[in-house]
Amino acid sequence: MSEKIFVTKSYLPPQEEYIAYLNGIWERHHLTNQGPLVLELEQKLRQYLGLEHLHFSSNGTIVLQMALKALRITGEVITTPFSYCATSHAIAWENATPIFADIRKEDLCIDPDCIEALITPKTQAILATHVYGIPCQIERIEAIAKQHGLYVIYDAAHTFGVQYKGKSLLSYGDVSTCSFHATKVFHTVEGGMITTPNAELSEQLKLYRSFGHVGDDYFDIGINAKNSEFHAAMGLCNLPKVDEIIAGRRRVTESYDQHLNWEKLTKPTIPADVEWNHAYYPVFFETEADLLKVRDALAAQNIFVRRYFYPSLNTLSFLHAHQSCPVSEYMAVRALSLPLYPDLPDHDVERIISIINENL
Ligand SMILES: *Cc1c(COP(=O)(O)O)cnc(C)c1O
């Protein structure tokens, strides 16, 4: 049997590049708490992404919690049911209430019309995910938020390297967060970042990340969301390779685009003003039964796909949501993400395509 293929394979830099950074860490004995590698990574990220304020952090979930905390959000947050669970878990963990607005079938992002219908006097924020790295309806969401005095937070976990209207997708909203988890396009093993165009809020987020310390004093209840020199070193090795990684992913997506049987499958539409990062390769089946048949046929050949994103988050019993989201519930049971990483060999891509087409 051939080697196992998973939905993704984390990029690892040449070992000697990482070891060179380790040698520096051993010399300095500065392991964490905003060491020189963390500061260097933050500087290089600001440059690469064209962002003024950003904070490297321990993961892409705690930065969502920090955003909610810093904006003092304790009421209702209108959010998307079609995302990874971290989006709604962060809201519930902070004792705010996730209110689920349905999504648009064409791009799987939150539907602005559904947002408007759910606004109440308790609504404080919109927390939307640019799912698969595809931008939400940013202008409409901004207009709704302005009209009703709401904050806009974007879970931009999938968006590293995505450009929208000539700017990083991370530059939109009151706050945007990103994940640098090992499964993402750019990773630091574990890690994440938070960014905001607001200088004052940015200063607060920086303090929240470090227990709320101001010198030996404290400005508020903070948390430990810092990250280490070892994680920053991985980021410094991987950042110069990102463009190459995205190009390698594009090569695989072009094969899928050309050869999958589109009479039986659909995929999201990437708008023309978006330079995409090929973060995922989602396909949608006509029925859940079709999806399960293909998934099992692939698994029998040691190819393991993932049901991103399933289930529709409004159906998780412990979130006690009362909203029904028919589009999200329909799409979530039909969504499958196919293997996608730069060094996925052509012959494996061809094999995956044949297994799928033969089982449709
Ligand atoms: C990966 C992911 C997260 C969580 O990021 P971690 O770094 O794993 O905590 C949050 N939201 C979305 C949409 C994600 O895909």
Side-chain angles (χ1 to χ4, degrees), residues 58-64 82-88 129-132 155-158 177-184 189-193 280 308-309:
S58 48
N59 61 67
T61 304
I62 199 138
V63 283
L64 288 168
F82 196 83
S83 183
Y84 185 57
C85 66
T87 313
S88 45
T129 302
H130 302 299
V131 72
Y132 306 125
D155 182 341
H158 305 161
T177 63
C178 195
S179 167
F180 300 159
H181 183 256
T183 54
K184 308 300 207 248
V189 186
E190 290 276 356
M193 58 158 264
Y280 296 86
Y308 288 149
F309 288 92

Side-chain angles (χ1 to χ4, degrees), residues 236-250:
L236 287 167
C237 290
N238 291 348
L239 189 58
K241 311 289 193 332
V242 169
D243 294 341
E244 211 177 297
I245 289 169
I246 292 175
R249 302 175 78 93
R250 184 178 305 121

Side-chain angles (χ1 to χ4, degrees), residues 214-240:
V214 183
D216 283 337
D217 215 339
Y218 300 91
F219 98 113
D220 195 4
I221 301 166
I223 192 82
N224 181 0
K226 294 175 273 103
N227 211 336
S228 80
E229 291 290 278
F230 294 79
H231 294 83
M234 184 60 82
L236 287 167
C237 290
N238 291 348
L239 189 58

Side-chain angles (χ1 to χ4, degrees), residues 5 25 137 145 217 223 232 279:
I5 295 174
I25 296 174
Q137 298 289 294
D217 215 339
I223 192 82

Side-chain angles (χ1 to χ4, degrees), residues 93-110:
W93 191 273
E94 289 302 322
N95 286 319
T97 309
I99 302 290
F100 292 97
D102 209 352
I103 58 169
R104 290 153 42 90
K105 200 168 179 185
E106 55 270 46
D107 56 21
L108 295 309
C109 289
I110 199 164

